[in-house]
Amino acid sequence: YVPSQADSVVFAALSGPPSASLNHALRWFNHISSYNDSERKGFPGETKALSAYGPDGDASESKAEDDDDDDIDLFASEDEEELAEAERLKQERIEKYQAKKEKKPTVIAKSSLLVDVKPWDDETNMKDIEDFVRAISADGLVWGVSKLVPVGYGIKKLQIAAVIEDDKISTDFLEESITANEDLIQSMDIAAFNKI
């Protein structure tokens, strides 16, 4: 803060420090009084009459102008009509939002699986295994392509793709259903699991 000639003129017009309840004015007074007379005369700016630095006119005129501002109450409570209108508008918006939300299709979480089904030995009929696996049907389960993949020593495993709806079908359900036929199937593994 750099004091100016306006500060010097107002300071000279005061008869003493302002009361302690006017803490900002008292802080300003103490700041300006920390300078001596020669320093105050050296403040930048042009020296004018005291009336040039304050508001124009006397205090009664400014008080009358201030009274005009009291007509507007920014924190006044609204009348019942405005409150009812606001409540109606709010209710309309909520209903529109609910209707829009209901129209929006729900996203069904799906997963793509690649299942390995292993037989007991090389003499097991792989066509029977595939027929048994494809016979497993449930809501949210779709079997895809399959192929026979060599494991070793002439044994082949069935590798079959499936798409499941996560909310309806679990991998535990698939494992229990596939390994239920212990005569044909030794084990089942999930080779790949991808969210769609």
Side-chain angles (χ1 to χ4, degrees):
Y1 173 76
V2 177
S4 67
Q5 285 300 319
D7 294 306
S8 180
V9 169
V10 172
F11 180 79
L14 293 175
S15 59
S19 70
S21 65
L22 303 171
N23 55 356
H24 296 293
L26 182 59
R27 184 200 53 78
W28 170 84
F29 181 85
N30 290 334
H31 177 71
I32 300 302
S33 64
S34 69
Y35 296 100
N36 61 34
D37 288 338
S38 63
E39 288 175 323
R40 281 195 289 272
K41 288 180 184 173
F43 287 166
E46 159 182 343
T47 304
K48 298 179 185 174
L50 179 64
S51 62
Y53 294 115
D56 293 333
D58 63 356
S60 63
E61 287 180 15
S62 64
K63 177 137 179 70
E65 290 173 11
D66 288 346
D67 287 345
D68 292 343
D69 293 341
D70 292 343
D71 293 343
I72 301 171
D73 188 2
L74 297 177
F75 300 103
S77 61
E78 300 170 349
D79 63 2
E80 290 181 20
E81 288 179 13
E82 290 178 3
L83 288 174
E85 178 64 21
E87 186 63 31
R88 185 189 63 75
L89 185 62
K90 178 182 173 184
Q91 196 61 34
E92 278 182 20
R93 288 181 180 163
I94 289 173
E95 289 170 6
K96 282 183 185 177
Y97 173 74
Q98 292 296 341
K100 183 178 176 185
K101 190 175 175 182
E102 289 172 5
K103 289 179 186 175
K104 191 181 281 188
T106 57
V107 177
I108 299 171
K110 292 184 179 180
S111 299
S112 172
L113 303 174
L114 191 58
V115 179
D116 288 343
V117 182
K118 297 174 190 156
W120 281 108
D121 56 25
D122 60 343
E123 295 177 6
T124 306
N125 187 346
M126 297 305 290
K127 179 68 176 148
D128 290 344
I129 291 179
E130 183 176 355
D131 292 341
F132 174 77
V133 171
R134 288 190 183 275
I136 299 169
S137 64
D139 185 29
L141 171 64
V142 178
W143 294 109
V145 297
S146 65
K147 65 179 179 177
L148 296 177
V149 178
V151 177
Y153 304 106
I155 300 175
K156 295 182 178 180
K157 65 180 177 182
L158 173 68
Q159 197 169 61
I160 187 166
V163 175
I164 62 170
E165 290 183 26
D166 295 344
D167 293 339
K168 296 178 181 176
I169 304 292
S170 70
T171 56
D172 292 337
F173 166 78
L174 282 179
E175 185 171 0
E176 289 170 8
S177 300
I178 292 173
T179 56
N181 189 342
E182 295 176 356
D183 295 336
L184 293 175
I185 298 168
Q186 174 192 4
S187 65
M188 170 238 151
D189 294 319
I190 296 175
F193 187 102
N194 297 310
K195 294 284 185 186
I196 298 177

